Short mmCIF file of all heavy atoms in Angstrom, two decimals:
data_model
loop_
_atom_site.label_atom_id
_atom_site.label_comp_id
_atom_site.label_asym_id
_atom_site.label_seq_id
_atom_site.Cartn_x
_atom_site.Cartn_y
_atom_site.Cartn_z
N GLY W 1 -14.33 -106.77 -48.07
CA GLY W 1 -15.28 -105.85 -47.46
C GLY W 1 -15.23 -105.95 -45.95
O GLY W 1 -14.30 -106.51 -45.37
N THR W 2 -16.28 -105.46 -45.31
CA THR W 2 -16.31 -105.45 -43.85
C THR W 2 -16.42 -106.84 -43.25
O THR W 2 -16.21 -107.01 -42.05
CB THR W 2 -17.50 -104.59 -43.35
OG1 THR W 2 -18.71 -105.08 -43.93
CG2 THR W 2 -17.30 -103.13 -43.74
N ASP W 3 -16.74 -107.83 -44.07
CA ASP W 3 -16.83 -109.20 -43.58
C ASP W 3 -15.52 -109.97 -43.77
O ASP W 3 -15.48 -111.19 -43.62
CB ASP W 3 -17.97 -109.94 -44.28
CG ASP W 3 -17.77 -110.04 -45.78
OD1 ASP W 3 -16.96 -109.27 -46.35
OD2 ASP W 3 -18.44 -110.87 -46.40
N PHE W 4 -14.45 -109.26 -44.07
CA PHE W 4 -13.17 -109.90 -44.39
C PHE W 4 -12.68 -110.85 -43.29
O PHE W 4 -12.34 -111.99 -43.55
CB PHE W 4 -12.10 -108.84 -44.67
CG PHE W 4 -10.74 -109.42 -44.89
CD1 PHE W 4 -10.38 -109.96 -46.11
CD2 PHE W 4 -9.80 -109.44 -43.86
CE1 PHE W 4 -9.13 -110.51 -46.31
CE2 PHE W 4 -8.54 -109.98 -44.05
CZ PHE W 4 -8.21 -110.52 -45.27
N ILE W 5 -12.62 -110.38 -42.05
CA ILE W 5 -12.07 -111.21 -40.96
C ILE W 5 -12.97 -112.42 -40.68
O ILE W 5 -12.46 -113.54 -40.64
CB ILE W 5 -11.78 -110.37 -39.70
CG1 ILE W 5 -10.60 -109.44 -40.01
CG2 ILE W 5 -11.47 -111.27 -38.50
CD1 ILE W 5 -10.20 -108.51 -38.88
N PRO W 6 -14.28 -112.25 -40.52
CA PRO W 6 -15.10 -113.46 -40.32
C PRO W 6 -15.00 -114.45 -41.49
O PRO W 6 -14.96 -115.66 -41.29
CB PRO W 6 -16.53 -112.93 -40.18
CG PRO W 6 -16.39 -111.50 -39.84
CD PRO W 6 -15.08 -111.04 -40.41
N LYS W 7 -14.93 -113.92 -42.69
CA LYS W 7 -14.87 -114.76 -43.88
C LYS W 7 -13.56 -115.54 -43.97
O LYS W 7 -13.52 -116.66 -44.47
CB LYS W 7 -15.00 -113.86 -45.11
CG LYS W 7 -15.63 -114.47 -46.29
CD LYS W 7 -15.93 -113.34 -47.26
CE LYS W 7 -16.17 -113.83 -48.64
NZ LYS W 7 -16.39 -112.73 -49.58
N ASN W 8 -12.48 -114.96 -43.45
CA ASN W 8 -11.16 -115.59 -43.52
C ASN W 8 -10.67 -116.06 -42.15
O ASN W 8 -9.47 -116.30 -41.97
CB ASN W 8 -10.15 -114.59 -44.10
CG ASN W 8 -10.42 -114.30 -45.55
OD1 ASN W 8 -10.07 -115.10 -46.41
ND2 ASN W 8 -11.07 -113.19 -45.82
N ASN W 9 -11.58 -116.19 -41.22
CA ASN W 9 -11.23 -116.51 -39.84
C ASN W 9 -10.37 -117.76 -39.70
O ASN W 9 -9.37 -117.76 -38.99
CB ASN W 9 -12.49 -116.62 -38.99
CG ASN W 9 -12.19 -116.60 -37.53
OD1 ASN W 9 -11.27 -115.92 -37.08
ND2 ASN W 9 -12.97 -117.32 -36.76
N GLU W 10 -10.75 -118.83 -40.37
CA GLU W 10 -9.99 -120.09 -40.25
C GLU W 10 -8.56 -119.92 -40.74
O GLU W 10 -7.61 -120.38 -40.11
CB GLU W 10 -10.70 -121.22 -40.99
CG GLU W 10 -11.94 -121.72 -40.30
CD GLU W 10 -11.68 -122.16 -38.86
OE1 GLU W 10 -10.72 -122.93 -38.62
OE2 GLU W 10 -12.44 -121.74 -37.98
N PHE W 11 -8.40 -119.26 -41.88
CA PHE W 11 -7.06 -119.03 -42.43
C PHE W 11 -6.24 -118.14 -41.51
O PHE W 11 -5.07 -118.41 -41.24
CB PHE W 11 -7.18 -118.38 -43.82
CG PHE W 11 -5.86 -118.09 -44.46
CD1 PHE W 11 -5.12 -119.11 -45.04
CD2 PHE W 11 -5.35 -116.80 -44.47
CE1 PHE W 11 -3.89 -118.84 -45.63
CE2 PHE W 11 -4.13 -116.52 -45.06
CZ PHE W 11 -3.39 -117.55 -45.64
N LEU W 12 -6.84 -117.08 -40.99
CA LEU W 12 -6.13 -116.13 -40.14
C LEU W 12 -5.75 -116.76 -38.80
O LEU W 12 -4.70 -116.43 -38.24
CB LEU W 12 -6.96 -114.87 -39.92
CG LEU W 12 -7.24 -114.04 -41.17
CD1 LEU W 12 -8.24 -112.93 -40.86
CD2 LEU W 12 -5.95 -113.47 -41.74
N LYS W 13 -6.58 -117.66 -38.29
CA LYS W 13 -6.30 -118.29 -36.99
C LYS W 13 -5.18 -119.31 -37.05
O LYS W 13 -4.70 -119.73 -36.00
CB LYS W 13 -7.56 -118.98 -36.45
CG LYS W 13 -8.58 -118.05 -35.90
CD LYS W 13 -9.67 -118.74 -35.11
CE LYS W 13 -10.15 -120.02 -35.69
NZ LYS W 13 -11.31 -120.60 -35.01
N GLN W 14 -4.75 -119.70 -38.22
CA GLN W 14 -3.72 -120.74 -38.34
C GLN W 14 -2.35 -120.24 -37.88
O GLN W 14 -1.43 -121.03 -37.73
CB GLN W 14 -3.63 -121.23 -39.78
CG GLN W 14 -4.83 -122.02 -40.21
CD GLN W 14 -4.80 -122.35 -41.69
OE1 GLN W 14 -3.85 -122.05 -42.38
NE2 GLN W 14 -5.85 -122.96 -42.18
N HIS W 15 -2.22 -118.97 -37.66
CA HIS W 15 -0.94 -118.39 -37.24
C HIS W 15 -1.02 -117.94 -35.79
O HIS W 15 -2.07 -117.48 -35.35
CB HIS W 15 -0.64 -117.18 -38.12
CG HIS W 15 0.68 -117.23 -38.79
ND1 HIS W 15 1.27 -118.38 -39.21
CD2 HIS W 15 1.53 -116.25 -39.12
CE1 HIS W 15 2.41 -118.11 -39.78
NE2 HIS W 15 2.60 -116.83 -39.74
N LYS W 16 0.07 -118.06 -35.08
CA LYS W 16 0.11 -117.56 -33.71
C LYS W 16 0.34 -116.05 -33.78
O LYS W 16 1.38 -115.60 -34.26
CB LYS W 16 1.24 -118.25 -32.94
CG LYS W 16 1.25 -117.94 -31.48
CD LYS W 16 2.33 -118.73 -30.78
CE LYS W 16 2.30 -118.43 -29.31
NZ LYS W 16 3.38 -119.09 -28.61
N PHE W 17 -0.60 -115.27 -33.33
CA PHE W 17 -0.52 -113.83 -33.49
C PHE W 17 0.39 -113.13 -32.49
O PHE W 17 0.98 -112.11 -32.79
CB PHE W 17 -1.92 -113.19 -33.39
CG PHE W 17 -2.87 -113.68 -34.42
CD1 PHE W 17 -4.20 -113.79 -34.13
CD2 PHE W 17 -2.44 -114.03 -35.69
CE1 PHE W 17 -5.10 -114.23 -35.09
CE2 PHE W 17 -3.31 -114.47 -36.65
CZ PHE W 17 -4.65 -114.57 -36.35
N PHE W 18 0.47 -113.64 -31.29
CA PHE W 18 1.20 -112.96 -30.25
C PHE W 18 2.37 -113.80 -29.75
O PHE W 18 2.24 -114.53 -28.78
CB PHE W 18 0.27 -112.61 -29.08
CG PHE W 18 -0.89 -111.78 -29.50
CD1 PHE W 18 -2.15 -112.32 -29.58
CD2 PHE W 18 -0.72 -110.45 -29.83
CE1 PHE W 18 -3.24 -111.56 -29.97
CE2 PHE W 18 -1.79 -109.66 -30.23
CZ PHE W 18 -3.05 -110.23 -30.30
N PRO W 19 3.51 -113.70 -30.40
CA PRO W 19 4.66 -114.51 -29.97
C PRO W 19 5.13 -114.08 -28.57
O PRO W 19 5.17 -112.90 -28.27
CB PRO W 19 5.72 -114.21 -31.02
CG PRO W 19 5.32 -112.91 -31.62
CD PRO W 19 3.84 -112.80 -31.49
N LYS W 20 5.47 -115.05 -27.75
CA LYS W 20 5.93 -114.77 -26.39
C LYS W 20 7.46 -114.83 -26.29
O LYS W 20 8.02 -114.51 -25.27
CB LYS W 20 5.33 -115.79 -25.42
CG LYS W 20 3.84 -115.71 -25.31
CD LYS W 20 3.43 -114.52 -24.51
CE LYS W 20 1.93 -114.51 -24.30
NZ LYS W 20 1.45 -113.33 -23.66
N THR W 21 8.12 -115.28 -27.34
CA THR W 21 9.55 -115.46 -27.27
C THR W 21 10.29 -114.19 -27.70
O THR W 21 9.89 -113.50 -28.62
CB THR W 21 10.02 -116.62 -28.16
OG1 THR W 21 9.62 -116.35 -29.50
CG2 THR W 21 9.41 -117.93 -27.71
N VAL W 22 11.34 -113.90 -26.98
CA VAL W 22 12.22 -112.77 -27.30
C VAL W 22 13.63 -113.32 -27.25
O VAL W 22 14.02 -113.99 -26.29
CB VAL W 22 12.05 -111.63 -26.27
CG1 VAL W 22 13.01 -110.50 -26.57
CG2 VAL W 22 10.61 -111.14 -26.25
N ASN W 23 14.43 -113.06 -28.28
CA ASN W 23 15.79 -113.60 -28.26
C ASN W 23 16.71 -112.75 -27.38
O ASN W 23 16.37 -111.62 -27.00
CB ASN W 23 16.34 -113.79 -29.68
CG ASN W 23 16.55 -112.49 -30.40
OD1 ASN W 23 16.99 -111.50 -29.83
ND2 ASN W 23 16.24 -112.47 -31.67
N GLU W 24 17.88 -113.27 -27.06
CA GLU W 24 18.80 -112.59 -26.14
C GLU W 24 19.28 -111.25 -26.68
O GLU W 24 19.45 -110.30 -25.92
CB GLU W 24 19.99 -113.50 -25.84
CG GLU W 24 19.62 -114.69 -25.00
CD GLU W 24 20.80 -115.62 -24.78
OE1 GLU W 24 21.94 -115.24 -25.07
OE2 GLU W 24 20.56 -116.74 -24.28
N ALA W 25 19.50 -111.16 -27.98
CA ALA W 25 19.96 -109.89 -28.57
C ALA W 25 18.90 -108.81 -28.39
O ALA W 25 19.23 -107.66 -28.07
CB ALA W 25 20.28 -110.08 -30.05
N ASP W 26 17.63 -109.16 -28.57
CA ASP W 26 16.56 -108.19 -28.37
C ASP W 26 16.50 -107.73 -26.92
O ASP W 26 16.33 -106.55 -26.64
CB ASP W 26 15.20 -108.79 -28.77
CG ASP W 26 15.03 -108.89 -30.27
OD1 ASP W 26 15.74 -108.18 -31.01
OD2 ASP W 26 14.18 -109.68 -30.71
N LEU W 27 16.65 -108.67 -25.99
CA LEU W 27 16.64 -108.30 -24.57
C LEU W 27 17.80 -107.37 -24.23
O LEU W 27 17.64 -106.40 -23.51
CB LEU W 27 16.71 -109.56 -23.69
CG LEU W 27 15.44 -110.39 -23.64
CD1 LEU W 27 15.69 -111.67 -22.86
CD2 LEU W 27 14.31 -109.61 -23.02
N PHE W 28 18.98 -107.65 -24.77
CA PHE W 28 20.13 -106.79 -24.53
C PHE W 28 19.88 -105.39 -25.09
O PHE W 28 20.11 -104.39 -24.41
CB PHE W 28 21.38 -107.39 -25.18
CG PHE W 28 22.59 -106.51 -25.07
CD1 PHE W 28 23.30 -106.42 -23.88
CD2 PHE W 28 23.00 -105.74 -26.15
CE1 PHE W 28 24.40 -105.59 -23.77
CE2 PHE W 28 24.09 -104.91 -26.05
CZ PHE W 28 24.80 -104.83 -24.86
N ASN W 29 19.39 -105.32 -26.33
CA ASN W 29 19.11 -104.02 -26.94
C ASN W 29 18.06 -103.25 -26.15
O ASN W 29 18.18 -102.04 -25.96
CB ASN W 29 18.66 -104.20 -28.39
CG ASN W 29 19.78 -104.67 -29.28
OD1 ASN W 29 20.94 -104.44 -29.00
ND2 ASN W 29 19.42 -105.35 -30.35
N PHE W 30 17.04 -103.95 -25.69
CA PHE W 30 16.00 -103.32 -24.90
C PHE W 30 16.58 -102.76 -23.59
O PHE W 30 16.26 -101.63 -23.20
CB PHE W 30 14.89 -104.32 -24.61
CG PHE W 30 13.71 -103.74 -23.90
CD1 PHE W 30 12.90 -102.82 -24.53
CD2 PHE W 30 13.41 -104.13 -22.61
CE1 PHE W 30 11.81 -102.27 -23.88
CE2 PHE W 30 12.32 -103.60 -21.95
CZ PHE W 30 11.51 -102.67 -22.58
#
């Protein structure tokens, strides 16, 4: 329901959401 994120906050926070790394192939393609 609408309380999904607060209810699962600890589980959801265990992952890094915004990766800062980009590999060389991606940079070349970009």
Side-chain angles (χ1 to χ4, degrees):
T2 56
D3 61 342
F4 175 80
I5 291 178
K7 210 168 162 183
N8 292 281
N9 194 35
E10 286 305 311
F11 179 77
L12 296 172
K13 284 192 320 187
Q14 291 173 4
H15 234 33
K16 188 176 181 184
F17 299 147
F18 303 106
K20 296 286 185 186
T21 58
V22 177
N23 66 40
E24 291 177 12
D26 286 340
L27 287 174
F28 176 77
N29 291 334
F30 185 67

